[in-house]
């Protein structure tokens, strides 16, 4: 793929995203906060609206035509998710509100049932709070211990530590597929193979992976995989937990109420089949349908193209930022996902983000929901620019221009 054809394809893609025409403080929006949430194309907005206009009803309960249509749409969305992540069957696809809820589901329903005092849960210091705090609580309530995978200075996992680390009684390995701060892409297939040798289960937090890389859970071989719709051109309020059917069958329910039951008496209840056992109450129906449309959209563009496009942008951003005086970037130099976290000497990240906003450039500033990682990096916070399929190389120039202005304002220019 040459740069020219990438750029013209990106320009066509941008036409699908009405929000990208917005002016911020009189300047065209440069949206570089895709790791927090991505924008939505007209196709996804239309799928949400058209479901709401013509097919809206509750699912799995009504026997009238509209309810059957809504149920079909909802279940079709589940099939699209199955195909998108290469899951062997739809029964393993549980709709949740997002990655956070998906990880909590496993930390409650799997860990609390199967872990015991002295068992070990392996995590890393790079984890988003969503894949850390649920395990802290699971450990407290079961007597299990948390252990952290040693890191190399570049922010990758030290794989030479695996043999020492992955020994009984390690029962769960819960890691991010792609770090939301460092952009590290973890060798999840290798980790899964090693963990399975000692009978440990593997949960992967795919919030930053599924939107950007072709992901196939069957090929990875993991036990649970979690991700969010809103980071992949879908709406908020919808996410996915994929789990191996045999584990989902054995797990207790997470939330309880309507739809997840089979029979209820005044003092007891039995559970519905998977995945419905984990979908208590009215699910986010229009959101699931719109997530299905987002997957159709990404498939039509091509996940391989998206990966290459992201790669070109992040390489350009890392090259420009690392050669800019006073800018420090974090994370590995190679095999870096679609984001770059950095600090500008003498310019606090929140001030930088505010100044960039005046020029229409949206970046994230703060602890990126990863306080332990900030400690590990030895910084209170970072700025982060994160890219997606509609970002253009010239937007990185706008970022750099804004950083230079901020340096001048903070009297840093020499
Ligand atoms: C790596 C990672 N995990 C989990 C989450 C939480 O996702 P959500 O807020 O959609 O549940 C995020 C969101 O930024 C993330 O980047």
């Amino acid at each position: 793929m040459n740069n020219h054809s990438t750029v013209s394809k990106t320009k066509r893609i941008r036409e699908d995203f009405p929000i990208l025409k917005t002016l911020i403080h009189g300047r065209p929006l440069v949206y570089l906060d895709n790791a927090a949430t991505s924008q939505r194309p007209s196709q996804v907005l239309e799928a949400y609206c058209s479901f709401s206009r013509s097919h809206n009803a509750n699912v799995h309960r009504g026997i009238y035509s509209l309810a059957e249509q809504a149920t079909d749409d909802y279940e079709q969305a589940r099939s699209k998710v199955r195909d998108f992540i290469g899951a062997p069957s739809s029964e393993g696809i549980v709709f949740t509100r997002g990655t956070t809820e998906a990880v909590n589901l496993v930390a409650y329903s799997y860990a609390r049932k199967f872990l015991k005092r002295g068992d070990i849960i392996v995590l890393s210091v790079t984890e988003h709070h969503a894949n850390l705090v649920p395990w802290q609580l699971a450990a407290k309530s079961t007597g299990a211990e948390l252990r952290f995978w040693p890191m190399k200075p570049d922010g990758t996992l030290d794989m030479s530590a695996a043999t020492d680390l992955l020994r009984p009684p390690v029962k769960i390995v819960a890691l991010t597929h792609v770090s939301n701060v460092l952009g590290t892409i973890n060798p999840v297939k290798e980790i899964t193979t090693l963990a399975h040798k000692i009978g440990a289960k593997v949960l992967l937090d795919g919030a930053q992976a599924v939107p950007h890389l072709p992901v196939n859970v069957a090929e990875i071989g993991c036990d649970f995989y979690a991700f969010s719709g809103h980071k992949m051109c879908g709406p908020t309020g919808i996410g996915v937990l994929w789990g191996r059917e045999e584990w989902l069958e054995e797990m207790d329910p997470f939330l309880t109420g309507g739809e997840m039951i089979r029979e209820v008496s005044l003092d007891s209840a039995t559970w519905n089949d998977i995945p419905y056992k984990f979908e208590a109450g009215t699910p986010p129906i229009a959101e699931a349908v719109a997530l299905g449309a987002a997957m159709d959209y990404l498939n039509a563009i091509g996940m391989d193209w998206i990966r290459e496009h992201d790669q070109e942008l992040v390489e350009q951003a890392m090259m420009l930022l690392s050669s800019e005086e006073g800018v420090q970037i974090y994370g590995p130099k190679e095999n870096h996902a679609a984001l770059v976290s950095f600090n500008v000497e003498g310019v606090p990240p929140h001030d930088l983000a505010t100044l960039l906003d005046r020029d229409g450039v949206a970046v994230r500033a703060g602890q990126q929901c990863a306080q332990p990682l900030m400690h590990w990096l030895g910084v209170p916070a970072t700025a982060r620019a994160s890219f997606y399929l509609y970002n253009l190389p010239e937007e990185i120039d706008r970022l750099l221009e804004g950083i230079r202005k901020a340096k001048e304002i903070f009297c840093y220019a020499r």
Side-chain angles (χ1 to χ4, degrees):
M1 186 163 50
N2 69 43
N3 195 269
H4 179 73
S5 68
T6 311
V7 168
S8 51
K9 180 160 174 173
T10 310
K11 284 188 174 159
R12 280 201 304 280
I13 289 171
R14 290 177 72 82
E15 293 300 312
D16 294 332
F17 291 81
I19 204 168
L20 298 178
K21 297 203 164 55
T22 308
L23 296 181
I24 303 285
H25 303 301
R27 297 204 63 189
L29 167 67
V30 171
Y31 187 74
L32 301 181
D33 197 17
N34 294 287
T37 199
S38 64
Q39 299 302 345
R40 295 162 208 159
S42 304
Q43 291 84 336
V44 169
L45 301 174
E46 180 47 31
Y48 188 96
C49 290
S50 126
F51 174 85
S52 308
R53 260 196 314 265
S54 322
H55 291 173
N56 182 47
N58 214 325
V59 292
H60 297 136
R61 33 202 113 190
I63 50 157
Y64 50 89
S65 306
L66 202 59
E68 283 174 359
Q69 181 66 61
T71 303
D72 279 355
D73 289 1
Y74 181 66
E75 289 305 323
Q76 208 185 340
R78 197 188 305 277
S79 311
K80 288 180 185 181
V81 173
R82 175 200 63 209
D83 296 345
F84 196 79
I85 60 166
S89 72
S90 296
E91 282 72 23
I93 307 290
V94 179
F95 282 123
T96 64
R97 276 189 303 140
T99 310
T100 304
E101 188 179 297
V103 176
N104 272 279
L105 195 164
V106 180
Y108 275 84
S109 296
Y110 184 86
R112 277 168 177 70
K113 183 163 185 186
F114 294 109
L115 292 196
K116 55 180 191 326
R117 181 161 297 284
D119 283 346
I120 293 170
I121 304 167
V122 170
L123 306 162
S124 82
V125 296
T126 67
E127 300 313 314
H128 187 285
H129 298 158
N131 193 36
L132 172 61
V133 182
W135 299 113
Q136 293 173 345
L137 294 189
K140 270 211 179 91
S141 72
T142 58
E145 286 167 32
L146 304 182
R147 209 157 279 176
F148 292 87
W149 201 302
M151 303 281 293
K152 296 211 280 197
D154 69 350
T156 55
L157 297 179
D158 183 352
M159 291 304 289
S160 70
T163 330
D164 256 3
L165 186 68
L166 297 180
R167 292 170 187 272
V170 169
K171 292 286 164 58
I172 295 181
V173 176
L175 293 173
T176 193
H177 189 165
V178 170
S179 160
N180 63 310
V181 178
L182 300 174
T184 316
I185 304 174
N186 285 328
V188 288
K189 190 173 172 179
E190 186 184 343
I191 290 169
T192 301
T193 308
L194 294 171
H196 282 173
K197 280 194 182 143
I198 53 152
K201 304 286 179 284
V202 176
L203 173 138
L204 298 172
D205 169 354
Q208 299 297 344
V210 176
H212 298 276
L213 319 171
V215 168
N216 185 306
V217 293
E219 225 170 75
I220 295 169
C222 57
D223 300 281
F224 300 102
Y225 198 98
F227 61 99
S228 302
H230 68 97
K231 295 179 197 285
M232 52 185 298
C233 297
T236 51
I238 182 82
V240 173
L241 170 71
W242 170 76
R244 279 181 188 277
E245 284 178 48
E246 55 265 49
W247 312 145
L248 294 178
E249 297 279 9
E250 284 183 27
M251 285 156 59
D252 287 335
F254 175 43
L255 300 175
T256 54
E259 272 310 295
M260 50 73 64
I261 46 78
R262 184 176 308 280
E263 277 178 39
V264 183
S265 66
L266 281 180
D267 53 13
S268 68
T270 56
W271 316 136
N272 201 344
D273 294 334
I274 60 163
Y276 310 113
K277 180 168 87 173
F278 296 105
E279 294 183 0
T282 299
I285 308 165
E287 287 79 0
V289 171
L291 174 61
M295 291 179 169
D296 289 343
Y297 183 80
L298 296 175
N299 275 333
I301 305 269
M303 288 309 294
D304 288 326
W305 184 88
I306 292 171
R307 170 72 184 129
E308 273 184 59
H309 166 82
D310 285 352
Q311 191 73 28
E312 280 173 18
L313 288 178
V314 85
E315 276 170 16
Q316 182 189 340
M318 285 174 61
M319 197 257 293
L320 290 173
L321 291 179
S322 60
S323 42
E324 180 70 18
E325 196 183 355
V327 175
Q328 179 171 16
I329 63 176
Y330 305 101
K333 302 246 172 322
E334 268 145 35
N335 200 24
H336 201 103
L339 56 92
V340 52
S341 291
F342 60 98
N343 267 313
V344 180
E345 200 183 327
V347 187
H350 286 93
D351 294 308
L352 176 67
T354 307
L355 290 169
L356 285 168
D357 176 60
R358 283 197 207 161
D359 281 333
V361 180
V363 298
R364 173 86 185 264
Q367 297 172 327
Q368 328 285 1
C369 295
Q371 290 183 19
L373 180 54
M374 294 296 135
H375 290 297
W376 186 83
L377 289 170
V379 296
T382 72
R384 179 185 69 190
S386 51
F387 310 102
Y388 209 12
L389 69 169
Y390 37 68
N391 287 122
L392 286 163
E394 65 218 45
E395 293 184 303
I396 299 172
D397 299 335
R398 290 264 309 274
L399 169 68
L400 196 63
E401 186 191 305
I403 290 174
R404 287 182 177 154
K405 264 197 204 166
K407 279 165 48 173
E408 266 171 42
I409 290 169
F410 275 76
C411 300
Y412 181 75
R414 285 171 211 180

